[in-house]
Amino acid sequence: MASVEIQNIEKHYGGFHALRDINLTIDEGEFAVMVGPSGCGKSTLLKTIAGLETVSSGRLLIKGRDVTKEEPGDRGIAMVFQSYALYPHMTVAENMGFGLRMAKRPKAEIDAAVARAAAILRLEEQLDKRPKQLSGGQRQRVAIGRAITRAPEVFLFDEPLSNLDAALRTQMRVELSTLHAQLGSTMIYVTHDQVEAMTMASRIVVLNRGRIEQVGAPLALYNNPANLFVAGFLGAPRMNFVTGKVVEADGRGARIACAGGLTVAFDDLTEPLAIGDAVTVGIRPEKLHLDDAAAAATFPAQVRLTEYLGRETIVYADAGALTATDSDSGTGAFTIQIGDIKPFQAGAPVSIGFDARDAYLFHPDGRTLTALKPVARI
Ligand code: ATP
């Protein structure tokens, strides 16, 4: 059953068009993560669902009920912010029970709801403390507890982990996923961090410049990005891109010539191309191999820098006239990810190779042209 339906929503701030024809249905019990670069409109979209922003046009339904013009308090949602927004003079228990107290619920009901939330969030020992006596992670759990006690139809999270250090963020990611499994509630979560999106979402919504670029399960989006933007946004390190021109075109096949003499042949395109079309070839860092004699397409390069990450090696390598556009290093160097520790000295000549079946081809307007790649079933 649909939990949240967003229909043709537009938002203008004066002359600025912040949300453009947003259509999205989020099912009951889903963990939907809205992700995109700074300024793409994700917080604005979340605030329109919460009722903290009005929409310029369009409709919003929660559990089939049109709430477009309803006040935030009447929508059956609870929101958790990045800045916790706890009351410093109240104890943890008072903070968590605040919403129910405002709703004038009986004390016994409030106490029971606070005790239940504290047990779920492992805050039983902290109930009499004030927020300043808690760690960042504990404060964030209290903010989540305050949402849980209200038993909302929908939880909304606005970058709730971005104030935490890296170790605590990882821990809270696991806790939030566990909480979602326990409660089975609909959760809508906003982040600019694609790792949070990949790890927590049942479905990811990628936003860019006020528009939805693609919606889908994390692995489906990773393996089959609809366009160049999604391909570049999801995945760390980023996908490598090189520009090229179509030199042979035959039905669903095409041969692409890139700088430095590299050519890549595709035989499964979703639409025909014409000779001379300017296209972009993309290949993920984990699909590039170094010094692999069996690789189908290869090109010479020189190691610029190697990073050893304990269980994997990231190599940045320059390939002369063949440059990676919009790369992680920002220098035109290719990024190669090896699932092993292998030494590569700076300046060493290497051969970069890949299988064309692992590559993506993008239309001049950014659309993906390669046929869908298989996605692991989970
Ligand atoms: P971030 O990750 O940086 O928070 P975001 O994707 O959440 O980014 P929004 O806060 O939704 O971005 O803002 C989207 C765009 O709308 C931005 O360009 C922002 O400058 C603009 N915007 C947001 N609020 C207002 C406002 N009250 N008046 C005018 N413009 C606004």
Side-chain angles (χ1 to χ4, degrees):
M1 179 184 165
S3 185
V4 176
E5 286 170 80
I6 301 168
Q7 298 176 345
N8 310 105
I9 282 190
E10 302 268 349
K11 175 71 185 174
H12 296 266
Y13 289 113
F16 183 73
H17 202 167
L19 295 177
R20 296 162 184 264
D21 195 23
I22 302 288
N23 285 282
L24 180 68
T25 299
I26 296 165
D27 288 332
E28 190 91 47
E30 262 201 87
F31 197 141
V33 178
M34 296 179 183
V35 68
S38 182
C40 70
K42 52 197 185 296
S43 296
T44 303
L45 182 55
L46 198 74
K47 285 188 214 149
T48 63
I49 299 171
L52 301 172
E53 282 287 359
T54 56
V55 300
S56 306
S57 62
R59 286 204 323 156
L60 181 82
L61 282 74
I62 295 181
K63 284 234 166 143
R65 190 163 54 91
D66 188 339
V67 299
T68 318
K69 300 218 153 52
E70 276 188 10
E71 291 297 317
D74 300 330
R75 295 188 177 202
I77 49 103
M79 189 148 170
V80 179
F81 297 94
Q82 174 181 346
S83 61
Y84 321 138
L86 300 178
Y87 295 107
H89 59 287
M90 289 185 198
T91 64
V92 166
E94 286 163 350
N95 264 290
M96 292 209 289
F98 183 74
L100 293 178
R101 266 201 320 285
M102 287 295 100
K104 302 225 173 354
R105 305 306 305 166
K107 183 170 181 315
E109 182 188 323
I110 300 174
D111 289 348
V114 169
R116 201 167 49 243
I120 292 172
L121 296 163
R122 291 182 286 108
L123 286 168
E124 292 111 317
E125 307 291 311
Q126 322 295 338
L127 287 172
D128 295 327
K129 289 188 181 166
R130 303 208 188 271
K132 69 166 189 285
Q133 297 169 290
L134 303 177
S135 70
Q138 288 168 332
R139 281 180 217 175
Q140 192 51 277
R141 288 213 291 273
V142 176
I144 295 166
R146 193 171 48 187
I148 290 178
T149 53
R150 296 179 49 202
E153 309 273 9
V154 184
F155 286 87
L156 305 179
F157 294 95
D158 193 359
E159 305 236 14
L161 308 188
S162 38
N163 283 348
L164 306 177
D165 66 38
L168 211 47
R169 265 208 309 272
T170 307
Q171 187 188 332
M172 287 299 295
R173 255 184 8 226
V174 175
E175 290 194 10
L176 278 172
S177 297
T178 311
L179 180 72
H180 176 249
Q182 258 175 327
L183 298 178
S185 315
T186 308
M187 296 188 171
I188 307 179
Y189 187 104
V190 156
T191 182
H192 63 273
D193 180 350
Q194 55 96 23
V195 177
E196 285 180 17
M198 288 298 293
T199 52
M200 296 197 289
S202 51
R203 269 196 314 162
I204 296 179
V205 181
V206 183
L207 284 159
N208 181 29
R209 296 168 189 252
R211 271 185 221 287
I212 293 181
E213 294 277 355
Q214 194 176 6
V215 181
L219 293 182
L221 261 55
Y222 187 82
N223 280 9
N224 292 308
N227 54 44
L228 241 166
F229 178 82
V230 177
F233 192 77
L234 292 181
R238 267 167 87 77
M239 190 183 279
N240 295 286
F241 298 110
V242 289
T243 54
K245 277 216 158 37
V246 177
V247 288
E248 278 175 29
D250 173 18
R252 300 291 155 143
R255 205 158 63 86
I256 316 302
C258 306
L262 175 72
T263 65
V264 191
F266 293 89
D267 57 11
D268 57 353
L269 302 181
T270 52
E271 59 187 88
L273 285 167
I275 288 174
D277 280 349
V279 289
T280 303
V281 177
I283 180 117
R284 293 218 179 265
E286 68 271 25
K287 297 293 187 188
L288 287 180
H289 309 292
L290 288 183
D291 299 335
D292 177 359
T298 60
F299 54 96
Q302 198 176 31
V303 173
R304 176 194 286 242
L305 179 79
T306 308
E307 295 174 340
Y308 303 102
L309 300 179
R311 63 184 160 79
E312 63 181 19
T313 307
I314 310 283
V315 179
Y316 300 95
D318 296 299
L322 183 66
T323 57
T325 55
D326 201 17
S327 66
D328 255 347
S329 67
T331 59
F334 286 82
T335 311
I336 304 108
Q337 186 178 24
I338 303 161
D340 197 356
I341 293 298
K342 282 196 183 162
F344 286 97
Q345 301 304 326
V350 284
S351 159
I352 302 180
F354 63 96
D355 184 331
R357 282 170 301 187
D358 290 328
Y360 297 84
L361 188 67
F362 301 96
H363 190 269
D365 69 12
R367 275 176 300 127
T368 305
L369 293 170
T370 23
L372 293 184
K373 298 187 193 301
V375 177
R377 291 170 77 89
I378 49 170

Short mmCIF file of all heavy atoms in Angstrom, two decimals, residues 40-86:
data_model
loop_
_atom_site.label_atom_id
_atom_site.label_comp_id
_atom_site.label_asym_id
_atom_site.label_seq_id
_atom_site.Cartn_x
_atom_site.Cartn_y
_atom_site.Cartn_z
N CYS A 40 20.46 20.32 -4.47
CA CYS A 40 19.63 19.63 -5.47
C CYS A 40 18.14 19.67 -5.11
O CYS A 40 17.30 19.33 -5.93
CB CYS A 40 20.10 18.19 -5.65
SG CYS A 40 19.74 17.14 -4.23
N GLY A 41 17.82 20.02 -3.86
CA GLY A 41 16.40 20.14 -3.49
C GLY A 41 15.91 19.06 -2.55
O GLY A 41 14.71 19.00 -2.24
N LYS A 42 16.81 18.22 -2.06
CA LYS A 42 16.34 17.08 -1.24
C LYS A 42 15.73 17.52 0.08
O LYS A 42 14.70 17.00 0.49
CB LYS A 42 17.46 16.04 -1.04
CG LYS A 42 18.76 16.60 -0.53
CD LYS A 42 19.89 15.62 -0.76
CE LYS A 42 21.18 16.12 -0.14
NZ LYS A 42 21.70 17.36 -0.73
N SER A 43 16.36 18.53 0.76
CA SER A 43 15.76 19.00 2.03
C SER A 43 14.44 19.69 1.76
O SER A 43 13.49 19.56 2.53
CB SER A 43 16.70 19.96 2.74
OG SER A 43 17.86 19.29 3.11
N THR A 44 14.37 20.44 0.66
CA THR A 44 13.12 21.11 0.31
C THR A 44 12.01 20.08 0.11
O THR A 44 10.90 20.24 0.61
CB THR A 44 13.31 21.94 -0.98
OG1 THR A 44 14.37 22.86 -0.76
CG2 THR A 44 12.04 22.69 -1.37
N LEU A 45 12.34 18.98 -0.58
CA LEU A 45 11.33 17.95 -0.82
C LEU A 45 10.87 17.32 0.50
O LEU A 45 9.67 17.13 0.73
CB LEU A 45 11.90 16.89 -1.78
CG LEU A 45 10.95 15.76 -2.17
CD1 LEU A 45 9.66 16.30 -2.77
CD2 LEU A 45 11.62 14.82 -3.17
N LEU A 46 11.83 17.04 1.39
CA LEU A 46 11.47 16.46 2.68
C LEU A 46 10.59 17.43 3.48
O LEU A 46 9.62 17.01 4.11
CB LEU A 46 12.74 16.12 3.47
CG LEU A 46 12.54 15.13 4.61
CD1 LEU A 46 12.34 13.72 4.05
CD2 LEU A 46 13.71 15.14 5.58
N LYS A 47 10.95 18.72 3.42
CA LYS A 47 10.17 19.70 4.18
C LYS A 47 8.76 19.86 3.60
O LYS A 47 7.81 20.14 4.34
CB LYS A 47 10.89 21.06 4.19
CG LYS A 47 12.08 21.07 5.13
CD LYS A 47 12.62 22.47 5.24
CE LYS A 47 14.12 22.46 5.41
NZ LYS A 47 14.76 23.62 4.83
N THR A 48 8.60 19.66 2.32
CA THR A 48 7.24 19.74 1.76
C THR A 48 6.43 18.53 2.24
O THR A 48 5.23 18.65 2.48
CB THR A 48 7.21 19.81 0.22
OG1 THR A 48 7.78 18.63 -0.31
CG2 THR A 48 7.93 21.01 -0.34
N ILE A 49 7.08 17.37 2.41
CA ILE A 49 6.36 16.20 2.93
C ILE A 49 5.98 16.46 4.39
O ILE A 49 4.88 16.14 4.82
CB ILE A 49 7.22 14.91 2.81
CG1 ILE A 49 7.56 14.63 1.34
CG2 ILE A 49 6.48 13.72 3.42
CD1 ILE A 49 8.56 13.53 1.13
N ALA A 50 6.90 17.09 5.14
CA ALA A 50 6.65 17.37 6.56
C ALA A 50 5.61 18.47 6.75
O ALA A 50 5.01 18.58 7.81
CB ALA A 50 7.95 17.78 7.23
N GLY A 51 5.45 19.30 5.72
CA GLY A 51 4.54 20.44 5.86
C GLY A 51 5.25 21.68 6.39
O GLY A 51 4.61 22.67 6.75
N LEU A 52 6.59 21.63 6.42
CA LEU A 52 7.35 22.81 6.87
C LEU A 52 7.58 23.78 5.72
O LEU A 52 8.03 24.90 5.91
CB LEU A 52 8.71 22.37 7.46
CG LEU A 52 8.61 21.41 8.65
CD1 LEU A 52 9.99 20.89 9.04
CD2 LEU A 52 7.95 22.11 9.84
N GLU A 53 7.31 23.35 4.49
CA GLU A 53 7.34 24.20 3.31
C GLU A 53 6.03 23.98 2.56
O GLU A 53 5.57 22.84 2.47
CB GLU A 53 8.47 23.80 2.35
CG GLU A 53 9.84 24.24 2.71
CD GLU A 53 10.10 25.72 2.52
OE1 GLU A 53 9.19 26.44 2.06
OE2 GLU A 53 11.21 26.14 2.85
N THR A 54 5.47 25.06 2.01
CA THR A 54 4.29 24.88 1.16
C THR A 54 4.77 24.49 -0.24
O THR A 54 5.93 24.72 -0.59
CB THR A 54 3.52 26.21 1.04
OG1 THR A 54 4.43 27.19 0.54
CG2 THR A 54 2.95 26.64 2.37
N VAL A 55 3.89 23.90 -1.03
CA VAL A 55 4.26 23.61 -2.42
C VAL A 55 3.67 24.69 -3.32
O VAL A 55 2.68 25.33 -2.96
CB VAL A 55 3.75 22.21 -2.87
CG1 VAL A 55 4.35 21.12 -2.01
CG2 VAL A 55 2.23 22.12 -2.85
N SER A 56 4.31 24.93 -4.48
CA SER A 56 3.77 25.92 -5.42
C SER A 56 2.60 25.30 -6.18
O SER A 56 1.60 25.95 -6.47
CB SER A 56 4.84 26.39 -6.40
OG SER A 56 5.96 26.87 -5.68
N SER A 57 2.74 23.99 -6.53
CA SER A 57 1.62 23.24 -7.12
C SER A 57 1.88 21.76 -6.92
O SER A 57 2.98 21.36 -6.57
CB SER A 57 1.45 23.58 -8.60
OG SER A 57 2.61 23.21 -9.30
N GLY A 58 0.84 20.95 -7.13
CA GLY A 58 0.96 19.50 -6.94
C GLY A 58 0.27 19.06 -5.66
O GLY A 58 -0.27 19.89 -4.92
N ARG A 59 0.24 17.73 -5.47
CA ARG A 59 -0.49 17.17 -4.31
C ARG A 59 0.39 16.20 -3.55
O ARG A 59 1.26 15.54 -4.12
CB ARG A 59 -1.69 16.36 -4.83
CG ARG A 59 -2.82 17.22 -5.33
CD ARG A 59 -4.15 16.50 -5.29
NE ARG A 59 -4.13 15.08 -5.61
CZ ARG A 59 -5.06 14.24 -5.19
NH1 ARG A 59 -6.06 14.65 -4.43
NH2 ARG A 59 -5.01 12.96 -5.54
N LEU A 60 0.10 16.11 -2.25
CA LEU A 60 0.81 15.16 -1.41
C LEU A 60 -0.20 14.33 -0.63
O LEU A 60 -1.08 14.89 0.04
CB LEU A 60 1.71 15.92 -0.43
CG LEU A 60 2.50 15.00 0.47
CD1 LEU A 60 3.74 14.48 -0.24
CD2 LEU A 60 2.91 15.70 1.75
N LEU A 61 -0.09 13.00 -0.76
CA LEU A 61 -1.01 12.12 -0.05
C LEU A 61 -0.23 11.27 0.95
O LEU A 61 0.84 10.74 0.62
CB LEU A 61 -1.74 11.19 -1.02
CG LEU A 61 -2.90 11.80 -1.80
CD1 LEU A 61 -2.40 12.73 -2.89
CD2 LEU A 61 -3.73 10.71 -2.45
N ILE A 62 -0.72 11.16 2.17
CA ILE A 62 -0.14 10.23 3.15
C ILE A 62 -1.22 9.23 3.50
O ILE A 62 -2.33 9.60 3.90
CB ILE A 62 0.38 10.97 4.41
CG1 ILE A 62 1.55 11.90 4.02
CG2 ILE A 62 0.83 9.97 5.48
CD1 ILE A 62 2.18 12.68 5.15
N LYS A 63 -0.92 7.95 3.27
CA LYS A 63 -1.91 6.87 3.44
C LYS A 63 -3.21 7.18 2.71
O LYS A 63 -4.30 7.03 3.26
CB LYS A 63 -2.19 6.65 4.92
CG LYS A 63 -1.08 5.90 5.63
CD LYS A 63 -1.65 4.70 6.35
CE LYS A 63 -0.57 3.76 6.78
NZ LYS A 63 -0.81 3.15 8.04
N GLY A 64 -3.10 7.70 1.51
CA GLY A 64 -4.26 7.96 0.68
C GLY A 64 -5.00 9.26 1.00
O GLY A 64 -5.94 9.62 0.30
N ARG A 65 -4.58 9.96 2.04
CA ARG A 65 -5.28 11.18 2.47
C ARG A 65 -4.52 12.39 1.93
O ARG A 65 -3.30 12.47 2.05
CB ARG A 65 -5.28 11.20 4.01
CG ARG A 65 -6.15 12.24 4.66
CD ARG A 65 -6.36 11.87 6.13
NE ARG A 65 -5.10 11.66 6.84
CZ ARG A 65 -4.45 12.62 7.48
NH1 ARG A 65 -4.92 13.84 7.52
NH2 ARG A 65 -3.29 12.36 8.09
N ASP A 66 -5.23 13.31 1.31
CA ASP A 66 -4.59 14.51 0.76
C ASP A 66 -4.22 15.45 1.91
O ASP A 66 -5.10 16.01 2.57
CB ASP A 66 -5.55 15.21 -0.21
CG ASP A 66 -4.86 16.35 -0.96
OD1 ASP A 66 -3.81 16.84 -0.47
OD2 ASP A 66 -5.35 16.74 -2.04
N VAL A 67 -2.91 15.60 2.15
CA VAL A 67 -2.46 16.43 3.27
C VAL A 67 -1.77 17.71 2.78
O VAL A 67 -1.14 18.41 3.57
CB VAL A 67 -1.48 15.65 4.20
CG1 VAL A 67 -2.15 14.44 4.81
CG2 VAL A 67 -0.21 15.25 3.44
N THR A 68 -1.92 18.00 1.47
CA THR A 68 -1.16 19.11 0.87
C THR A 68 -1.32 20.40 1.67
O THR A 68 -0.38 21.17 1.79
CB THR A 68 -1.64 19.34 -0.59
OG1 THR A 68 -1.80 18.08 -1.22
CG2 THR A 68 -0.66 20.19 -1.37
N LYS A 69 -2.51 20.62 2.19
CA LYS A 69 -2.74 21.90 2.88
C LYS A 69 -2.80 21.74 4.40
O LYS A 69 -3.14 22.68 5.11
CB LYS A 69 -4.06 22.53 2.37
CG LYS A 69 -4.03 22.81 0.86
CD LYS A 69 -4.73 24.09 0.52
CE LYS A 69 -4.22 24.74 -0.73
NZ LYS A 69 -4.18 23.88 -1.91
N GLU A 70 -2.47 20.53 4.88
CA GLU A 70 -2.56 20.30 6.33
C GLU A 70 -1.33 20.81 7.07
O GLU A 70 -0.24 20.87 6.52
CB GLU A 70 -2.72 18.80 6.62
CG GLU A 70 -4.15 18.36 6.52
CD GLU A 70 -4.34 16.91 6.99
OE1 GLU A 70 -3.42 16.31 7.55
OE2 GLU A 70 -5.44 16.40 6.76
N GLU A 71 -1.53 21.14 8.35
CA GLU A 71 -0.42 21.58 9.21
C GLU A 71 0.49 20.38 9.49
O GLU A 71 0.01 19.24 9.52
CB GLU A 71 -0.98 22.09 10.54
CG GLU A 71 -1.76 23.39 10.45
CD GLU A 71 -0.88 24.54 9.98
OE1 GLU A 71 0.27 24.63 10.47
OE2 GLU A 71 -1.32 25.30 9.11
N PRO A 72 1.80 20.63 9.77
CA PRO A 72 2.73 19.53 10.05
C PRO A 72 2.21 18.59 11.14
O PRO A 72 2.28 17.36 11.01
CB PRO A 72 4.00 20.24 10.51
CG PRO A 72 3.92 21.60 9.93
CD PRO A 72 2.47 21.94 9.79
N GLY A 73 1.64 19.15 12.20
CA GLY A 73 1.20 18.35 13.34
C GLY A 73 0.04 17.42 13.02
O GLY A 73 -0.23 16.49 13.76
N ASP A 74 -0.64 17.67 11.91
CA ASP A 74 -1.81 16.85 11.57
C ASP A 74 -1.48 15.76 10.54
O ASP A 74 -2.37 15.03 10.10
CB ASP A 74 -2.93 17.74 10.99
CG ASP A 74 -3.36 18.79 12.01
OD1 ASP A 74 -3.28 18.48 13.22
OD2 ASP A 74 -3.77 19.90 11.60
N ARG A 75 -0.22 15.70 10.09
CA ARG A 75 0.10 14.82 8.96
C ARG A 75 0.49 13.40 9.35
O ARG A 75 0.69 12.56 8.47
CB ARG A 75 1.24 15.43 8.13
CG ARG A 75 0.85 16.72 7.47
CD ARG A 75 1.91 17.20 6.51
NE ARG A 75 1.45 18.42 5.86
CZ ARG A 75 1.91 18.87 4.70
NH1 ARG A 75 2.86 18.21 4.08
NH2 ARG A 75 1.43 19.96 4.18
N GLY A 76 0.68 13.15 10.65
CA GLY A 76 1.08 11.81 11.07
C GLY A 76 2.53 11.49 10.76
O GLY A 76 2.88 10.34 10.52
N ILE A 77 3.37 12.54 10.75
CA ILE A 77 4.79 12.32 10.47
C ILE A 77 5.61 12.76 11.68
O ILE A 77 5.15 13.55 12.51
CB ILE A 77 5.27 13.09 9.22
CG1 ILE A 77 4.81 14.56 9.30
CG2 ILE A 77 4.73 12.49 7.95
CD1 ILE A 77 5.83 15.50 9.66
N ALA A 78 6.83 12.23 11.78
CA ALA A 78 7.77 12.73 12.80
C ALA A 78 9.10 12.94 12.10
O ALA A 78 9.50 12.12 11.27
CB ALA A 78 7.91 11.73 13.93
N MET A 79 9.76 14.05 12.42
CA MET A 79 10.98 14.39 11.69
C MET A 79 12.17 14.41 12.64
O MET A 79 12.08 14.91 13.76
CB MET A 79 10.77 15.76 11.06
CG MET A 79 11.86 16.15 10.11
SD MET A 79 11.21 17.19 8.78
CE MET A 79 12.74 17.74 8.02
N VAL A 80 13.30 13.86 12.18
CA VAL A 80 14.55 13.88 12.95
C VAL A 80 15.55 14.71 12.15
O VAL A 80 15.81 14.43 10.99
CB VAL A 80 15.10 12.45 13.16
CG1 VAL A 80 16.41 12.51 13.94
CG2 VAL A 80 14.07 11.59 13.89
N PHE A 81 16.08 15.74 12.81
CA PHE A 81 16.97 16.67 12.12
C PHE A 81 18.43 16.36 12.42
O PHE A 81 18.76 15.70 13.40
CB PHE A 81 16.70 18.11 12.57
CG PHE A 81 15.33 18.60 12.25
CD1 PHE A 81 14.31 18.50 13.19
CD2 PHE A 81 15.04 19.17 11.02
CE1 PHE A 81 13.04 18.96 12.91
CE2 PHE A 81 13.76 19.62 10.73
CZ PHE A 81 12.76 19.52 11.68
N GLN A 82 19.30 16.96 11.59
CA GLN A 82 20.75 16.86 11.78
C GLN A 82 21.13 17.45 13.14
O GLN A 82 22.01 16.96 13.83
CB GLN A 82 21.39 17.66 10.65
CG GLN A 82 22.87 17.81 10.73
CD GLN A 82 23.35 18.65 9.55
OE1 GLN A 82 22.64 18.89 8.58
NE2 GLN A 82 24.57 19.10 9.64
N SER A 83 20.45 18.53 13.55
CA SER A 83 20.85 19.27 14.75
C SER A 83 20.10 18.80 15.99
O SER A 83 19.84 19.58 16.87
CB SER A 83 20.56 20.74 14.53
OG SER A 83 19.15 20.88 14.32
N TYR A 84 19.70 17.56 16.06
CA TYR A 84 19.02 16.93 17.21
C TYR A 84 17.83 17.73 17.73
O TYR A 84 16.77 17.19 17.98
CB TYR A 84 19.96 16.65 18.39
CG TYR A 84 21.33 16.15 18.02
CD1 TYR A 84 22.47 16.62 18.67
CD2 TYR A 84 21.51 15.20 17.03
CE1 TYR A 84 23.73 16.15 18.35
CE2 TYR A 84 22.77 14.73 16.69
CZ TYR A 84 23.86 15.22 17.35
OH TYR A 84 25.10 14.78 17.01
N ALA A 85 18.02 19.07 17.95
CA ALA A 85 16.96 19.94 18.46
C ALA A 85 16.34 19.40 19.76
O ALA A 85 15.13 19.34 19.90
CB ALA A 85 15.88 20.16 17.39
N LEU A 86 17.21 19.01 20.71
CA LEU A 86 16.71 18.55 22.01
C LEU A 86 16.56 19.75 22.93
O LEU A 86 17.28 20.75 22.79
CB LEU A 86 17.70 17.54 22.62
CG LEU A 86 17.96 16.28 21.80
CD1 LEU A 86 18.99 15.40 22.50
CD2 LEU A 86 16.67 15.51 21.56
#
